[in-house]
Amino acid sequence: MSDVTYYVAMPFLIDADGSPVAGAAEECQSSTAALRRAEALSRGVGHIGAVAFSRSGDPMTGEFGDATLLRKFGNVPEDLATL
């Protein structure tokens, strides 16, 4: 099977300790849809920001490349790799 690309929007919230945490990721149909959804999520109740990203790979083997950040909205941690 050939590689497929998934587009995702994911909000960020603050946990009880005051640290930013990733919320539930939402799969989108396209990069444009992911950008729109992330922007809307960044303004959601309790959210401090959101990101839109894509990730490509082979779902049959489970091998995927690193995520590609499309855009950040709001107050999102600089280093997303630590989350």
Side-chain angles (χ1 to χ4, degrees), residues 12 34-36 38-40 42 48-52 71-76:
F12 283 84
L35 288 166
R36 276 188 256 153
E39 184 175 16
S42 73
I48 59 168
V51 294
R71 187 162 173 202
K72 295 179 184 182
F73 297 92
N75 186 13
V76 175

Side-chain angles (χ1 to χ4, degrees), residues 3-10 25-38 51-57 64 67-71:
D3 283 359
V4 296
T5 300
Y6 293 100
Y7 299 98
V8 179
M10 186 172 62
E26 296 183 20
E27 187 177 342
C28 300
Q29 294 293 319
S30 66
S31 61
T32 302
L35 288 166
R36 276 188 256 153
R37 185 64 185 140
V51 294
F53 66 92
S54 64
R55 194 162 182 216
S56 297
F64 284 85
T68 301
L69 181 66
L70 300 175
R71 187 162 173 202

